Amino acid sequence: ARLAKRRLKRGVFHSVVDLQAAINRFLAEHNDHPKPFTWTADPDKIIAPAKRGHLALDSFH
């Protein structure tokens, strides 16, 4: 999302090579100061709908 918002959304790219260069520059700049991802979602809230989905799919067979 950061790549799209900060580099690609308002960018003008005249070729695929220009687009690739912009993406590579963004990645290089972003990787200069990396921050670890902190998971904030409750895993149970993610797993429960997945289990319900599996149960629903299994009920059709």
Side-chain angles (χ1 to χ4, degrees):
R2 287 183 184 152
L3 172 63
K5 287 180 186 175
R6 293 184 183 173
R7 186 62 60 115
L8 303 180
K9 187 174 183 179
R10 299 190 189 277
V12 176
F13 309 103
H14 298 286
S15 68
V16 173
V17 174
D18 290 344
L19 174 61
Q20 289 172 329
I23 292 170
N24 289 333
R25 278 193 308 273
F26 176 84
L27 292 174
E29 292 166 6
H30 182 74
N31 287 336
D32 285 341
H33 306 286
K35 295 179 184 175
F37 178 78
T38 303
W39 190 264
T40 58
D42 181 18
D44 295 328
K45 289 184 179 179
I46 297 169
I47 294 170
K51 285 183 180 179
R52 284 195 309 272
H54 286 288
L55 289 174
L57 287 174
D58 289 341
S59 69
F60 289 120
H61 292 47

